[in-house]
Amino acid sequence: MKTNVGGIDKVLRIIAGVILIALAATGTIGLWGWIGIVPLLTGLFNFCPLYSVLGIKTCKVT
């Protein structure tokens, strides 16, 4: 797995994931809110499988 998520993209994914999970856990939104696990994990691991398929990279080249 090569890193393909970086910077602001990473931060936004983590924030969006935490918000969706919190809203689902409190019952504010339906069960679909648990999909927030996906952006949370992709942000934490700096890797997005869809980015790999599409050839997108938002991290700095090292």
Side-chain angles (χ1 to χ4, degrees):
M1 266 184 348
K2 290 187 176 182
T3 299
N4 62 7
V5 174
I8 295 174
D9 190 14
K10 175 181 178 163
V11 173
L12 292 177
R13 285 171 182 264
I14 293 171
I15 291 170
V18 169
I19 289 171
L20 283 172
I21 292 168
L23 290 173
T26 60
T28 305
I29 58 176
L31 289 175
W32 67 269
W34 289 102
I35 196 73
I37 291 171
V38 174
L40 177 63
L41 290 177
T42 58
L44 291 175
F45 289 111
N46 298 324
F47 177 76
C48 177
L50 184 60
Y51 274 15
S52 291
V53 171
L54 298 175
I56 300 171
K57 225 175 174 184
T58 61
C59 62
K60 293 181 180 179
V61 179
T62 56

